[in-house]
């Protein structure tokens, strides 16, 4: 299976910067097209920049998929400030990140709510990238596995399969801290997630499990060697084309 190299741009940059970033990513992939034999690429810009980034992707034939960073749990209607799965689809998205820890904590999103969003994404034919991961105190108190199991059980619709869903394991203490989980920790957690997916879902075969949390070009090779690491969800390093591609080169 090809690794999915996914960039979560979060709430960074302005329109011109977003266009030049995808342009640079496109040039770098164009300079070494054989990388596409090992990697699929995805970028998730801020919602307001999806159109211009998608336009650049189409215009320059850049082999990168585009996704949203969140979607509403409802269909279109009177929901001020929300962006629907249907709108993301209409804008050319193939993916949407759901349940990122920044939304779980800063927006109080529950796993049940994320499950509803995932169902909406699935209805529109979007692949949901559903994030799970424990907080630092939960790991220190030995509860990381229980927390992740509960998040998986409650957030991932039971009809999910490899075409509709990607899981991203992002330990919260590793996000934006420069403190990545060790390959041994990642190995154990990804094996556990694989097992839980098999238990919970009828069709979990080949579902990708990404690791996210301070992935950089210099730790990516060790992470990608780990069993059940099918790609990376990258925050900070996805904002620099050379680092984003440096991570892909580590595959
Ligand atoms: P960093 O790569 O900046 O740690 O962010 C990870 C992340 O949250 C991706 O969704």
């Amino acid at each position: 299976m090809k690794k999915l190299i996914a960039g979560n741009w979060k709430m960074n940059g302005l329109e011109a910067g977003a266009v030049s970033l995808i342009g640079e990513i496109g040039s770098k992939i164009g300079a070494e097209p054989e990388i596409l034999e090992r990697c699929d690429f995805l970028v998730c810009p801020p919602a307001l920049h999806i159109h211009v980034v998608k336009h650049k992707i189409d215009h320059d034939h850049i082999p990168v998929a585009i996704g949203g960073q969140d979607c509403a749990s409802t269909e279109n209607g009177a929901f001020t400030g929300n962006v629907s799965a249907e709108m993301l689809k209409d804008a050319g998205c193939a993916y949407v990140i759901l349940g990122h820890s920044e939304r779980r904590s800063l927006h109080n999103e529950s796993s049940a709510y994320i499950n509803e969003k995932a169902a909406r994404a699935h209805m529109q034919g979007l692949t949901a990238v559903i994030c799970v991961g424990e907080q630092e105190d939960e790991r220190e108190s030995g509860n990381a596995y229980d927390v992740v199991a509960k998040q998986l059980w409650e957030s991932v619709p039971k009809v999910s399969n490899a075409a509709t869903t990607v899981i991203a394991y992002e330990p919260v203490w590793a996000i934006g801290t420069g403190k990545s989980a060790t390959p041994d920790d990642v190995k154990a957690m990804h094996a556990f997630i694989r097992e839980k997916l098999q238990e919970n879902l009828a069709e979990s075969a080949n579902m990708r499990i990404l690791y996210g949390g301070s992935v950089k070009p210099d730790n990516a090779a060790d992470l990608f060697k780990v069993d059940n690491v099918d790609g990376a969800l990258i925050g900070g390093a996805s904002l620099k084309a050379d680092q984003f591609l440096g991570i892909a080169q580590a595959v």
Side-chain angles (χ1 to χ4, degrees):
M1 195 194 319
K2 288 194 209 179
K3 304 277 192 215
L4 179 61
I5 306 300
N8 175 7
W9 293 0
K10 306 192 180 183
M11 194 177 76
N12 287 295
L14 298 177
E15 196 172 283
V19 174
S20 71
L21 176 54
I22 191 63
E24 266 183 77
I25 290 170
S27 311
K28 287 187 187 295
I29 296 174
E32 48 171 330
E34 62 287 351
I35 204 161
L36 295 169
E37 289 161 23
R38 305 190 298 278
C39 300
D40 289 326
F41 290 92
L42 166 66
V43 294
C44 299
L48 213 53
H49 299 160
I50 288 172
H51 267 296
V52 287
V53 172
K54 177 68 174 134
H55 183 264
K56 179 79 174 163
I57 284 174
D58 289 347
H59 182 267
D60 292 4
H61 306 292
I62 298 171
V64 172
I66 190 163
Q69 298 176 9
D70 181 40
C71 74
S73 63
T74 58
E75 59 185 18
N76 290 349
F79 302 102
T80 303
N82 281 1
V83 173
S84 70
E86 189 180 5
M87 290 169 182
L88 292 177
K89 180 74 182 176
D90 188 47
C93 289
Y95 290 80
V96 59
I97 298 172
L98 296 174
H100 191 279
S101 66
E102 286 148 19
R103 297 211 61 90
R104 286 180 185 266
S105 61
L106 302 173
H107 298 263
N108 289 318
E109 292 195 5
S110 68
S111 288
Y113 187 46
I114 292 156
N115 192 310
E116 286 172 29
K117 293 180 176 208
R120 281 288 155 197
H122 290 164
M123 260 182 242
Q124 293 299 328
L126 297 174
T127 298
V129 180
I130 302 178
C131 304
V132 296
E134 80 284 359
Q135 308 272 349
E136 187 154 38
D137 59 329
E138 293 166 334
R139 175 155 285 265
E140 280 167 3
S141 59
N143 290 323
Y145 290 86
D146 288 346
V147 167
V148 169
K150 189 168 187 306
Q151 288 176 339
L152 285 171
W153 176 255
E154 293 177 355
S155 316
V156 182
K158 299 292 178 277
V159 296
S160 301
N161 61 43
T164 65
T165 307
V166 171
I167 305 298
Y169 169 58
E170 298 206 304
V172 179
W173 46 272
I175 295 176
T177 58
K179 202 166 80 175
S180 167
T182 66
D184 282 347
D185 286 342
V186 173
K187 182 175 180 185
M189 185 58 89
H190 279 231
F192 177 78
I193 291 172
R194 179 71 67 206
E195 189 186 305
K196 288 292 146 198
L197 292 175
Q198 278 162 2
E199 276 173 31
N200 296 353
L201 310 178
E203 290 184 73
S204 72
N206 299 323
M207 190 176 282
R208 277 168 159 155
I209 306 174
L210 311 183
Y211 169 77
S214 296
V215 179
K216 306 282 178 226
D218 60 3
N219 62 15
D222 287 339
L223 291 164
F224 289 141
K225 275 185 222 147
V226 174
D227 287 346
N228 292 306
V229 172
D230 306 311
L233 184 55
I234 306 152
S238 73
L239 298 171
K240 302 249 160 55
D242 56 344
Q243 291 195 24
F244 190 56
L245 266 292
I247 289 168
Q249 282 155 351
V251 174

